[in-house]
Amino acid sequence: EAVMDYSEDSMEAAHNVERQFQEFFHAVKALNREKSMTANQYWGAAEKDLHAALVQTRRDVHTKLQDNFDTPSVILALSALVSKTNVYLSTHADPAAAAQVSTVLVHSVAQYITDMFRVFGLIETHEVGFGSVTEGGGEEALAPIIGAFSAFRDEVRTAAKAKEHGKVLSACDSVRDNVLPLLGIRLEDRPSGVAVFKLESKEDLMREMEAKKAAEEKKLAQRLEQQRKEQEELEKGRMPADQLFRAMTDKYSEFDERGMPTKDEKGEPVSKSALGKLAKVYEKQTKMHKKYQDWQQKQGASSSSNHT
């Protein structure tokens, strides 16, 4: 018998596979809400190809189950079928193509996978997917959602009255990113301009929110660190090149008109080899000081524009 693998990588891979099936079921449910299975069904080359994949997967799964109930291979086969169906759905994403998507075919794929999961004891319901993720019923279940909608309406109404259109868009983003996930609802914007909602586990969505927040905080910290380093580099150019060596009285005692050292602290002439190295330092400081001056000029221009 195969050894059970509970390593971190193995558990992460299992979670990713589970997530793939969850996302697929959510997409199918969203599709069913938008287009009824009783509507006219288009049947072209893409549909024939997907149907053939479904039929072949059925055969492969049947064979694998006869082979000492090879569950891992069955899951891989089902995952491949989901990937192929997702490709089919992605090619029907725009409004014109969406009208031709075969909801009956896509539902058949989802129903078959659901039936197989029920065989494995993963689910008990006959409903497509892993079942409903909502809890409670009636007013108790609806109250948080209605409350969120009411608060959102108030915010949009107030902003609209004040003709603050930017706040209207901000409210739309906020309810999508910060409110609905806490209610177990994922709202996704689409190129068509028509959003799609998916009912998911509140815990999963909250974990995503936390991960997104952590990523944003990390990105902000990296940006601030980069700005700090850039500012630190700019500050090195604060001193003009002709003053750089004059400040080093512990090393040099005389200088030429450019500020280049001619004698060391003991009054001895600076060697040619040392002068060559100092010339490179001088040239670098000249460039750094020019960069510092340009930055100061931009800061001054920005400050003046803000006061006009």
Side-chain angles (χ1 to χ4, degrees):
E1 294 183 0
V3 178
M4 300 298 289
D5 183 3
Y6 294 104
S7 67
E8 184 175 340
D9 289 342
S10 178
M11 297 303 291
E12 179 65 21
H15 176 74
N16 290 337
V17 172
E18 179 188 12
R19 186 67 183 169
Q20 180 195 27
F21 285 118
Q22 286 179 334
E23 285 291 334
F24 173 66
F25 288 138
H26 291 320
V28 173
K29 290 179 179 179
L31 175 64
N32 289 340
R33 287 194 300 268
E34 294 178 346
K35 182 179 179 181
S36 171
M37 286 190 289
T38 60
N40 293 335
Q41 301 293 310
Y42 184 80
W43 196 259
E47 286 71 28
K48 293 177 181 177
D49 184 47
L50 180 57
H51 180 260
L54 172 59
V55 172
Q56 186 59 50
T57 301
R58 287 178 179 271
R59 292 172 181 164
D60 293 343
V61 167
H62 182 71
T63 301
K64 296 178 190 301
L65 291 179
Q66 287 182 318
D67 182 17
N68 196 25
F69 224 75
D70 187 1
T71 306
S73 295
V74 170
I75 296 298
L76 290 177
L78 296 178
S79 176
L81 179 60
V82 166
S83 296
K84 190 169 186 65
T85 309
N86 283 336
V87 171
Y88 170 76
L89 290 173
S90 68
T91 60
H92 293 74
D94 63 89
Q100 295 183 335
V101 68
S102 175
T103 50
V104 171
L105 177 58
V106 174
H107 184 84
S108 296
V109 173
Q111 189 63 64
Y112 169 64
I113 295 174
T114 300
D115 292 341
M116 293 311 305
F117 283 172
R118 191 167 57 255
V119 169
F120 295 145
L122 298 176
I123 57 177
E124 297 179 359
T125 179
H126 288 272
E127 175 189 355
V128 165
F130 292 109
S132 175
V133 296
T134 57
E135 301 174 357
E139 184 177 347
E140 181 181 353
L142 290 174
I145 299 175
I146 295 174
F149 173 76
S150 178
F152 170 68
R153 177 182 178 275
D154 292 341
E155 187 174 356
V156 169
R157 191 164 179 265
T158 301
K161 281 185 173 182
K163 296 182 179 181
E164 296 176 322
H165 305 302
K167 287 189 176 181
V168 173
L169 294 176
S170 295
C172 292
D173 290 341
S174 180
V175 74
R176 178 196 62 200
D177 299 335
N178 305 317
V179 179
L180 293 181
L182 301 180
L183 301 172
I185 302 172
R186 182 195 296 275
L187 188 65
E188 296 179 345
D189 295 326
R190 297 187 294 186
S192 64
V194 180
V196 59
F197 74 87
K198 300 174 181 179
L199 301 181
E200 302 191 24
S201 163
K202 287 185 282 188
E203 289 74 18
D204 287 346
L205 292 176
M206 288 178 68
R207 277 195 292 270
E208 285 187 20
M209 288 175 64
E210 291 171 358
K212 182 180 179 181
K213 181 180 178 182
E216 290 175 347
E217 290 177 348
K218 181 179 179 181
K219 188 175 180 180
L220 175 61
Q222 290 174 338
R223 185 165 66 249
L224 292 175
E225 176 62 16
Q226 180 64 27
Q227 290 175 350
R228 185 193 67 78
K229 290 181 178 179
E230 290 175 357
Q231 185 62 35
E232 190 176 84
E233 191 66 20
L234 280 170
E235 288 297 328
K236 292 180 181 178
R238 179 186 290 270
M239 181 176 289
D242 60 1
Q243 297 297 318
L244 180 64
F245 300 118
R246 294 182 189 276
M248 302 180 185
T249 54
D250 59 327
K251 294 183 179 180
Y252 310 108
S253 57
E254 291 187 22
F255 310 88
D256 62 16
E257 66 280 0
R258 296 171 57 234
M260 284 287 292
T262 55
K263 293 184 179 181
D264 61 19
E265 77 281 5
K266 297 178 181 178
E268 298 292 332
V270 178
S271 67
K272 289 185 177 180
S273 60
L275 280 174
K277 294 178 181 179
L278 293 175
K280 291 181 180 180
V281 175
Y282 186 95
E283 183 180 355
K284 182 179 179 181
Q285 187 65 22
T286 300
K287 293 178 180 178
M288 291 174 63
H289 185 63
K290 176 65 168 58
K291 189 175 181 181
Y292 177 80
Q293 287 179 313
D294 292 343
W295 172 77
Q296 274 195 321
Q297 187 174 358
K298 287 181 181 179
Q299 291 294 108
S302 175
S303 178
S304 298
S305 64
N306 289 335
H307 285 86
T308 56

